[in-house]
Amino acid sequence: MLFNSLEYLLFLPCVYLLYWSLNKHLRLQNLVLLVASYFFYGLWDYRFLSLIVISSFTDYFLGRQLETSTNDRSRKALLSISLIVNLGLLGVFKYFNFFVGSFIDLLGLFGMNANAPLLNIVLPVGISFYTFQTLSYTIDIYRGKLKASHSLLNFCTYVAFFPQLVAGPIERAANLLPQIEKPRNFDLERSKDGLRQILWGLFKKVVIADSCAIIVDNVFSQYNELWGPVLVLGAVLFAFQIYCDFSGYSDIAIGTARLLGISLMQNFATPYFARDIAEFWRRWHISLSTWFRDYLYIPLGGSRVGRLLQFRNVFAIFLVSGFWHGANWTFMFWGFIHALCYVPQMIRKSNRNFLDVVAKGKLFPTPYELGRMFLTFTIVTFAWIFFRAPSIGDSFHYIYRMITQSNVPFAQVLSNLRIQSSDLYLIAFFTSIMFVFEWLSRDEQHGLAAIGQSSILRFGIYLFLSLAILDYFNGETAFIYFQF
Amino acid sequence: MIVLLKRAGLFALILVAALWLIKQSVPYYWGNDLLEHKLRYLEQNLEDYDALFVGSSHVCRQVDVEEFDKLTGHRSYNLGVNGMFALEANYMLEKFLEKNAIDRGFSIFLQKTEPTKIAKKNLHSNQGKYFMDLHRFRIALTHYWKRGDWKQIYYHFVAFLENKLAIGQIREIIKYHWKDKKEFHPAINQNHGFYSLEQQLKLESDSRLISRRHGKYKSSKQFKENKPVAAKEKRMKMAEISDEMIYLRTKEKDSIRYFRFSSIKLDPEYYFDRGHFNDRGSRINTEKMAQEYKEKVQ
């Protein structure tokens, strides 16, 4: 089931009413959440529910064992089992074909031909997300930072919690599990804000991301025949698309959880207002970047090692982050570009220059801040080309055409895109609205958090956004991050 | 929680009202420019005709009314438009007859009378959002309820709601009010509503039509293998139908006779694209229709 579907429009109120009607009955509430979560996932493909169940059961029992075990060797063995089971499932379903294919290609370089069987399987939706979520649970218990859950129901609910099951935020057990284990009280203000955040997420996904997707797909599928400005436009629109798609999903997930009285971590904090790459990564897909920071970067030594090892750690975290997105060299290269941009900041020790929001307490940024934001956005957009293109070769070819085929009038750009100019103007209009709202709320959780006290103004904005969503709604279009 | 539900309910109510009002600003058949064009022409020239052909593109593209008139003595107008579903045609007829009283002998030829299935790919698209009133919506639901086709019940429910509330149509409605109406080739009126794909290609040289004509399907094995199957279904059937079968609630029932005709299949050389005849195919189709009409009905 997708958030942007009619089914979800029926599903959510049913769950909501049933859930709050069982207020004061924690176990029943959690049972409702678990059944709803399995139903939510099962509608996509019920067979893959078994993977979630395997992962949940394995980590639940390993967590219990880890807590009671005092022997260091057996604790390491238990953690290894958790890593092998979870990463094994992820490896088989997501990376097996990639590794086999790459190995065959490598043999081909040495003149050897090999035929190896490839798996004909689809990637289970959300596997990368819930795998990392359950892994964090066992690792935290192993490190003594977390106590094991003593309720299988609560633990399974934590792993399968439907708002964030298929595309995050990758919630740590230390944050989510205690909320599932404690009684929740209905809070009107929190519920209202949850609804606002859902509305904002739907607006970004349905109105902006899906409109950009039509042009972006068009541009990237036939970039060989298109002119430079069209390719620039395609890359910029992809930057908008991927942000609105993924942050829109996160907004709906966080808003839904808030309706149910549960707080999830913020996953995006206006990343396109970042003034450098380091700040961008503190604001983009926060749940993943902090996961890698805590479970990979710091265990490798982080920045408290020699210069060469620091470089190694930075490249490791960015390359693995890229690889997490998909079994393709393009994602690795995307991570590599970000690492390249990050390293100079680390050398100059300027990677923590911008910890607060831009132009804090002011309405407008300074020209200097604006310039930095523009430069960062340009670099990020350039890197997105590698993320979106089918291969690294295609990415370079795309960039080459972007630079060399630039002498073309704007009217031709539009005809080249084979779309109506009004569609492009509408995208520009709605994207501007999105950026204005997000700018005004850049200190807040989402774009509608700071729209003023006037109830008429608020009502007008909700009505406008709702009409826009209903107008752009054209069925269920999957979220980009489902494929990861 | 009651406060939240009340507020959310009130907001939903206002939203629905706003959407309903937006939809009320356009005529019931809005969304099909060709239908609007044909209806306007027909209303102005209704006295010239004593027969109507109603249906989808299979009527518009395949019923050569001049040919039919030559063989039967009627004066017919082809009111077929692309994508018209049976209940849509029915509703449109009812509205048309309410507005234009016919108190003389008149024949109406319908392509289909039973509710049309909505394909999954058409759900949420304008093709799927076909216009109906509550009366016909109930007919469609009952029809699929009896057959236990829950999917179609759901699809019809979604389509009905989306159409009545202009979901996915607001920008188009704004454009409709602001922009000039689409112009159609005069040949459509000159041919009394009949406009074959072959003729359209000659007159308008639409690139999409070229690709349809040369589509992969026509040279495919699948198309060629259709031949023996198609050859078996060459018989055209036509019959007069009762009032109950057409769900119309008009007063002029006595002066109008309704007929239903079947569709036929021909050999591949008579097709323009996957589903429509070329000019030669249309002529054969119309001749068979006229022949059947003369033998069995007239």
Side-chain angles (χ1 to χ4, degrees), chain A residues 282-335:
Chain A
R282 279 193 294 277
R283 296 177 172 280
W284 178 273
H285 202 177
I286 301 165
S287 64
L288 181 74
S289 44
T290 52
W291 198 100
F292 279 122
R293 182 197 65 199
D294 294 345
Y295 299 106
L296 183 66
Y297 183 67
I298 292 174
L300 284 172
S303 57
R304 293 180 182 179
V305 287
R307 183 53 57 91
L308 275 177
L309 285 178
Q310 277 184 29
F311 292 165
R312 181 204 66 181
N313 294 348
V314 168
F315 276 97
I317 192 173
F318 278 110
L319 291 178
V320 172
S321 173
F323 198 51
W324 175 90
H325 283 87
N328 194 332
W329 292 107
T330 51
F331 297 116
M332 297 266 269
F333 202 83
W334 169 75

Side-chain angles (χ1 to χ4, degrees), chain A residues 33-222:
Chain A
L33 281 186
L34 183 65
V35 172
S37 300
Y38 283 170
F39 177 75
F40 177 87
Y41 192 85
L43 273 192
W44 171 71
D45 195 330
Y46 65 90
R47 290 168 303 171
F48 289 123
L49 268 176
S50 57
L51 295 179
I52 297 178
V53 174
I54 289 171
S55 195
S56 303
F57 275 55
T58 306
D59 285 309
Y60 174 74
F61 290 109
L62 287 173
R64 295 285 298 269
Q65 292 295 315
L66 266 171
E67 192 178 44
T68 51
S69 173
T70 49
N71 183 320
D72 206 37
R73 280 185 68 182
S74 63
R75 283 170 60 78
K76 273 188 181 158
L78 289 167
L79 179 66
S80 305
I81 294 170
S82 172
L83 291 171
I84 289 166
V85 170
N86 287 303
L87 294 178
L89 287 175
L90 187 63
V92 168
F93 282 95
K94 190 166 178 176
Y95 299 107
F96 180 83
N97 286 349
F98 172 76
F99 282 122
V100 171
S102 300
F103 184 67
I104 292 170
D105 289 346
L106 188 69
L107 290 179
L109 287 179
F110 296 103
M112 290 181 273
N113 288 322
N115 280 319
L118 294 176
L119 294 176
N120 186 21
I121 46 170
V122 287
L123 180 68
V125 167
I127 192 169
S128 307
F129 292 90
Y130 66 76
T131 299
F132 273 41
Q133 190 154 309
T134 52
L135 272 181
S136 76
Y137 171 76
T138 42
I139 295 171
D140 281 354
I141 294 174
Y142 175 79
R143 288 175 175 176
K145 288 183 176 175
L146 184 73
K147 287 191 172 173
S149 174
H150 287 240
S151 159
L152 185 60
L153 171 67
N154 290 351
F155 184 73
C156 288
T157 308
Y158 154 70
V159 176
F161 185 50
F162 74 87
Q164 42 87 252
L165 172 61
V166 289
I170 303 166
E171 208 51 64
R172 310 290 178 80
N175 176 37
L176 184 53
L177 203 48
Q179 295 189 70
I180 287 174
E181 286 172 342
K182 282 183 198 157
R184 275 88 65 178
N185 292 319
F186 180 79
D187 180 343
L188 179 65
E189 283 311 310
R190 186 148 72 165
S191 289
K192 275 160 60 180
D193 199 47
L195 282 176
R196 272 195 284 267
Q197 195 159 1
I198 291 173
L199 183 67
W200 186 243
L202 280 173
F203 170 71
K204 285 200 280 188
K205 164 64 183 165
V206 176
V207 179
I208 303 176
D210 289 351
S211 315
C212 290
I214 298 165
I215 301 174
V216 169
D217 292 349
N218 194 356
V219 170
F220 275 84
S221 64
Q222 46 170 349

Side-chain angles (χ1 to χ4, degrees), chain A residues 416-430:
Chain A
N416 226 215
L417 274 169
R418 291 171 201 160
I419 59 155
Q420 289 183 12
S421 55
S422 60
D423 290 336
L424 204 58
Y425 298 141
L426 278 171
I427 289 175
F429 171 67
F430 284 118

